[in-house]
Amino acid sequence: MSTRIQLQAEVPTELAGSRLDQIAAQLFPDYSRSRLQSWIRQGSLTVNGAVQRPRDKLRAGDSLLIEAELEAAETWQAEALQLSIVFEDEQLLVLDKAAATVVHPAAGNREGTLLNGLLHHCPALAELPRAGIVHRLDKDTTGLLVVAKTLPAHTSLVDQLQRREIGREYEAVVQGVLTGGGTIDEPLGRHPVNRKKRAVMQAGKPSVTHYRVLQRFRSHTHIQVNLETGRTHQIRVHLAHNRHPLVGDPLYGGRLQIPAACSPALAQALKKFRRQALHARRLTLQHPESGHEMAWEAARPEDITQLLQVLADDSSSGESDESWQ
């Protein structure tokens, strides 16, 4: 079953002489320019009842009509999976993602992903790009993720992301003792050798990460991280580049390092922590329909809470020690 859209608008005097695709973007701001251009080419967006080209110039008073159907973008399988829903209304849905959960199907992960569960929860998401998912979290990163439930909401959230207006705050545990907060402003691109990794490279995309210290331990630091941009693996790559990789990071953390003279409990905890210690704890955005500022927080997962407790216990038993075995 598909959703039918029917919208009409007239070209105002101030837009006369502009291209059809530019005018459509102004008159129908709830839909992305690429989608509007697609509707123009398909004949689903007409001018005075006739099909025109995206570049054709229009006159004041010309009538634009959209008659389109939203159909499933991909043939993904809906699955009855458990979802931790923090908030939901007609426009969007906010989830608290668990560790070991893949967000989007890919080669080797066609089933059991967050997207499969979302399609079962809300079948209409099949009509949206990537089922409404506008940003991702890595498989073993926990925390908050927003999903658009309508095309206008999707357009709004993507636009907010591009304008860097969506606030994403993380907490992480890193190796080594940071003396203070700072900003890492290094471009990121695909690793030249390992295609699964990202790396700092001058030809990469601009990437900015801000961090501040929450608590220092003998050989680790608990930090808050705020993203200005949202590149793949950004926090993980930036902190590893800064020589403070995330505890447990299997891709960027390097060889397991046990601090010299640490407690047996900490040594065991570090050996058992097999995912990056990263949690998306706070999300802020403007509601796509009302424009109101909204914010959500996700409780710290139990494994990171336990790790922080063991680190605190170890620190209370000795002085700060930045050496490693």
Side-chain angles (χ1 to χ4, degrees), residues 69-84:
E69 288 191 359
L70 301 179
E71 299 179 347
E74 298 278 356
T75 54
W76 295 307
Q77 185 68 39
E79 296 180 60
L81 304 175
Q82 184 174 354
L83 301 175
S84 178

Side-chain angles (χ1 to χ4, degrees), residues 42-59:
Q42 293 169 8
S44 299
L45 195 168
T46 57
V47 180
N48 302 323
V51 176
Q52 296 204 26
R53 298 168 298 180
R55 67 174 182 269
D56 286 342
K57 306 291 180 63
L58 303 189
R59 298 169 297 180

Side-chain angles (χ1 to χ4, degrees), residues 247-312:
V247 168
D249 193 330
L251 201 55
Y252 302 99
R255 181 178 60 87
L256 174 64
Q257 300 187 55
I258 305 298
C262 77
S263 67
L266 177 56
Q268 183 66 14
L270 292 173
K271 290 176 183 177
K272 290 174 61 178
F273 207 96
R274 298 298 182 89
R275 73 173 183 93
Q276 61 269 11
L278 183 62
H279 174 60
R281 74 176 181 187
R282 183 173 171 83
L283 178 72
T284 59
L285 53 82
Q286 284 190 337
H287 190 275
E289 188 172 59
S290 69
H292 293 157
E293 183 84 8
M294 303 190 75
W296 299 271
E297 291 195 15
R300 182 185 302 144
E302 185 61 27
D303 60 348
I304 293 182
T305 297
Q306 292 177 354
L307 176 63
L308 290 171
Q309 184 59 57
V310 175
L311 286 167

Side-chain angles (χ1 to χ4, degrees), residues 62-282:
D62 282 345
S63 177
L64 274 63
L65 176 65
I66 296 176
E67 291 182 307
E69 288 191 359
L70 301 179
E71 299 179 347
E74 298 278 356
T75 54
W76 295 307
Q77 185 68 39
E79 296 180 60
L81 304 175
Q82 184 174 354
L83 301 175
S84 178
I85 298 175
V86 176
F87 173 85
E88 183 175 15
D89 66 6
E90 294 300 314
Q91 300 296 319
L92 53 81
L93 184 152
V94 178
L95 299 165
D96 184 0
K97 189 184 87 66
T101 303
V102 175
V103 171
H104 191 280
N109 285 297
R110 302 299 300 177
E111 301 175 349
T113 73
L114 200 63
L115 184 147
N116 299 115
L118 284 167
L119 289 177
H120 182 270
H121 175 76
C122 182
L125 291 176
E127 299 171 353
L128 303 184
R130 298 188 183 277
I133 296 171
V134 295
H135 68 115
R136 302 191 195 185
L137 296 176
D138 295 338
K139 176 183 176 182
D140 285 324
T141 298
T142 57
L144 296 171
L145 189 77
V146 64
V147 178
K149 292 179 66 177
T150 67
L151 258 183
H154 186 272
T155 302
S156 172
L157 292 175
V158 169
D159 188 47
Q160 289 183 56
L161 277 169
Q162 291 176 343
R163 296 199 309 264
R164 303 182 183 181
E165 293 176 351
I166 291 183
R168 287 167 289 171
E169 179 183 302
Y170 295 73
E171 63 175 299
V173 183
V174 301
Q175 298 177 20
V177 180
L178 284 161
T179 57
T183 295
I184 305 173
D185 184 352
E186 296 285 357
L188 297 179
R190 191 178 292 276
H191 194 284
V193 177
N194 187 337
R195 305 299 288 175
K196 293 182 179 181
K197 298 177 69 173
R198 298 299 189 272
V200 169
M201 51 201 322
Q202 292 310 305
K205 295 181 180 179
S207 308
V208 182
T209 303
H210 307 283
Y211 65 92
R212 71 179 186 90
V213 173
L214 297 176
Q215 187 176 5
R216 295 183 187 88
F217 303 105
R218 287 208 296 163
S219 300
H220 296 82
T221 312
H222 181 204
I223 62 173
Q224 173 184 310
V225 184
N226 292 82
L227 287 180
E228 188 170 318
T229 56
R231 310 301 180 196
T232 300
H233 298 176
Q234 178 175 318
I235 294 173
R236 300 166 65 187
V237 178
H238 268 172
L239 288 167
H241 178 75
N242 207 33
R243 299 186 179 180
H244 291 282
L246 298 179
V247 168
D249 193 330
L251 201 55
Y252 302 99
R255 181 178 60 87
L256 174 64
Q257 300 187 55
I258 305 298
C262 77
S263 67
L266 177 56
Q268 183 66 14
L270 292 173
K271 290 176 183 177
K272 290 174 61 178
F273 207 96
R274 298 298 182 89
R275 73 173 183 93
Q276 61 269 11
L278 183 62
H279 174 60
R281 74 176 181 187
R282 183 173 171 83

